[in-house]
Amino acid sequence: MTAEPEVQPRPLDRAALDVLILPMDDPRVRPLLDELAVEYDTRYGDLFGRGAAAEELTRYPAAEFEGPSGALLIIQERGESIAGGAFRRYDRTTAELKRIWTHSAHRRRGLARLVLAELEALAAARGYTSLYLTTGPRQPEAKHLYLRTGYLPQFDVDADPETIGALAFTKELDRTLGRGTRHG
């Protein structure tokens, strides 16, 4: 029995990407919400119950993710929504990142890092000086992404994540981040 060769993700061509700031009800956002619901139910259904993902995804009013205090962005490649994320006001100087997502067929291409960079720049341009986010204990790839991109854990990284619950992170924004950013 031979192992199947691992499929390498295709390289990211940034020139082929469009970054769009959209309202929550835009149809181009639907792939993000639909796949997040499946992902959350798959990872946490036994913990919170099937269907709890839909409740989580509608916990905050859509208006909280609209400007000027919030934003939802989607990255499209050739017209297909392949990654995205959002932020909302957490407090006067802090934006809370939510709904960071990469389509399952496009993972391991650097899209999550790109989403974070775009959200960080946009939050800085809108006057925020810091970020806050949480991720679930069953999302080790997210935990490692945030640690690798300068987010500070607000929990013991050596503890079993299942004993912690939501894994909180913070990051101070570089004041020069928001200068000169352009979104479609």
Side-chain angles (χ1 to χ4, degrees):
M1 182 174 197
T2 60
E4 290 186 33
E6 185 176 319
V7 176
Q8 294 296 314
R10 74 178 183 278
L12 195 59
D13 175 9
R14 292 199 181 204
L17 303 178
D18 292 308
V19 178
L20 307 172
I21 300 171
L22 302 170
M24 188 74 73
D25 63 355
D26 189 289
R28 294 168 289 186
V29 175
R30 194 79 248 155
L32 176 151
L33 299 175
D34 290 347
E35 198 168 45
L36 274 176
V38 170
E39 186 89 17
Y40 290 168
D41 274 342
T42 300
R43 292 185 191 228
Y44 300 104
D46 66 320
L47 192 61
F48 300 117
R50 295 285 169 209
E55 184 178 314
E56 167 58 27
L57 290 172
T58 58
R59 177 191 300 186
Y60 305 103
E64 290 190 23
F65 298 102
E66 294 174 3
S69 60
L72 185 146
L73 66 83
I74 292 293
I75 296 178
Q76 288 198 320
E77 183 176 52
R78 295 175 195 82
E80 177 190 5
S81 297
I82 61 170
F87 67 82
R88 61 189 280 277
R89 179 177 301 281
Y90 186 71
D91 65 28
R92 191 177 57 74
T93 60
T94 307
E96 179 181 17
L97 299 185
K98 303 292 288 177
R99 317 292 182 248
I100 308 297
W101 162 81
T102 300
H103 188 286
S104 58
H106 295 276
R107 292 186 179 154
R108 305 200 54 77
R109 296 179 63 204
L111 288 161
R113 283 179 182 261
L114 180 58
V115 167
L116 283 177
E118 291 287 338
L119 288 171
E120 289 170 6
L122 186 54
R126 297 216 176 147
Y128 291 109
T129 58
S130 61
L131 297 172
Y132 172 81
L133 68 85
T134 59
T135 193
R138 297 179 181 176
Q139 294 169 261
E141 64 284 346
K143 173 185 159 185
H144 295 298
L145 169 69
Y146 301 134
L147 290 171
R148 285 191 311 267
T149 54
Y151 286 78
L152 300 175
Q154 304 301 300
F155 58 92
D156 179 355
V157 293
D158 295 321
D160 176 0
E162 291 281 333
T163 66
I164 299 169
L167 308 178
F169 292 86
T170 59
K171 184 174 186 176
E172 295 300 312
L173 289 172
D174 180 343
R175 288 216 179 272
T176 63
L177 265 180
R179 295 186 190 146
T181 58
R182 186 182 65 76
H183 294 89

